[in-house]
Amino acid sequence: VSTQSTGSKMYFSHEDFSHKKFEAHLTTEHIGRTFIYRKILDSTMILAKQEMKGGAQHGTLVFAESQTTGRGRRGRSWETGQGNLCFSIILYPKQTNDLYKINCSISLATTLACKDEGIPAQIKWPNDVWVNGYKISGMLVDVSITGKTLEVVAGIGINVNQDIKGIKTLKATSFYNELNRYVERELILARVCNHLETLLKGSMSEVMNLYRQNYVLCGKNII
């Protein structure tokens, strides 16, 4: 099923996440404008790659309320429960030089979205976001080439409305744990998309200056 509104498409099977609320906060031209929703998936990155083969547009966002076989760095499993944000974004950079900028911009966009809500988040190399020693977000960026086209799928997980600090086996936190209240997931996701598109339109030097300012080891050299 698909619906068209304000130049956006949404594919949905459930209405837990409100596309209408998300779109109301979205200011982008491309990122998040095509929105694919699933209640549960094995992995948003797997579906994003399938959509990419079918000609998905730049900025297409694949969202799941929960995923069961997601993949983190070094092959680690990555399961996401309801109440959080689990999504992948499809990007088509114009040149290989853009890849490093994309990687930095994704973690930076997530960090800025946390700070918008008053959470003192910082980037921990290479692509995690931490708050006072606890992880609030992680991401994985996969790059491929089809013909002369560069293809990027960025898988992102953000702990939002889950009381996660009570899980002793995890050194993690969430928006709920940091703020002692629930937040609107649609707003957080829209902010990530808005920041990401703005960063990608900026220069590499602008992105790296912001990255350094938000790096957990601010003041040390970053290549």
Side-chain angles (χ1 to χ4, degrees):
V1 182
S2 69
T3 118
Q4 187 82 20
S5 63
T6 357
S8 302
K9 288 190 296 183
M10 177 186 178
Y11 303 89
F12 63 96
S13 57
H14 198 276
E15 296 180 353
D16 285 356
F17 183 94
S18 171
H19 179 252
K20 185 176 181 180
K21 288 182 180 179
F22 167 70
E23 194 176 51
H25 298 298
L26 199 62
T27 60
T28 62
E29 181 180 358
H30 300 291
I31 296 178
R33 289 298 174 182
T34 298
F35 192 101
I36 301 172
Y37 179 102
R38 296 290 185 271
K39 177 67 175 176
I40 186 168
L41 273 178
D42 48 0
S43 164
T44 61
M45 293 188 76
I46 290 175
L47 179 56
K49 290 176 181 179
Q50 293 171 352
E51 293 292 329
M52 185 179 278
K53 289 180 181 178
Q57 296 180 0
H58 174 79
T60 294
L61 192 153
V62 178
F63 177 96
E65 292 288 357
S66 63
Q67 67 173 12
T68 58
T69 58
R71 178 170 56 93
R73 290 181 60 235
R74 299 175 183 174
R76 296 188 183 102
S77 62
W78 176 10
E79 294 186 12
T80 307
Q82 290 190 351
N84 297 316
L85 287 172
C86 172
F87 59 100
S88 291
I89 298 174
I90 294 172
L91 302 168
Y92 299 106
K94 295 180 180 179
Q95 54 189 3
T96 54
N97 290 343
D98 292 333
L99 295 175
Y100 187 66
K101 179 182 175 184
I102 287 172
N103 193 75
C104 293
S105 295
I106 291 169
S107 54
L108 183 53
T110 305
T111 300
L112 295 176
C114 291
K115 289 191 169 183
D116 287 340
E117 204 65 27
I119 296 175
Q122 291 181 299
I123 301 164
K124 183 176 180 182
W125 180 263
N127 48 19
D128 288 339
V129 179
W130 287 60
V131 181
N132 297 321
Y134 290 88
K135 184 175 177 178
I136 197 169
S137 175
M139 53 211 71
L140 183 67
V141 180
D142 274 2
V143 180
S144 59
I145 301 176
T146 300
K148 295 183 179 180
T149 303
L150 278 172
E151 303 169 333
V152 172
V153 174
I156 305 168
I158 306 174
N159 301 327
V160 184
N161 287 327
Q162 183 179 5
D163 183 2
I164 204 166
K165 276 193 173 178
I167 305 175
K168 295 181 180 180
T169 55
L170 297 177
K171 192 174 183 181
T173 188
S174 66
F175 276 73
Y176 175 82
N177 287 131
E178 296 302 316
L179 301 172
N180 293 313
R181 61 178 172 83
Y182 293 110
V183 297
E184 187 179 300
R185 290 186 301 155
E186 295 85 352
L187 174 60
I188 304 304
L189 182 55
R191 283 174 172 168
V192 172
C193 294
N194 295 341
H195 282 305
L196 180 57
E197 186 158 295
T198 298
L199 290 164
L200 293 179
K201 287 180 178 179
S203 68
M204 184 64 185
S205 61
E206 290 171 333
V207 170
M208 289 312 300
N209 284 337
L210 269 174
Y211 189 94
R212 290 186 182 97
Q213 292 170 23
N214 289 277
Y215 188 51
V216 72
L217 298 177
C218 183
K220 293 194 175 183
N221 290 331
I222 302 173
I223 298 173

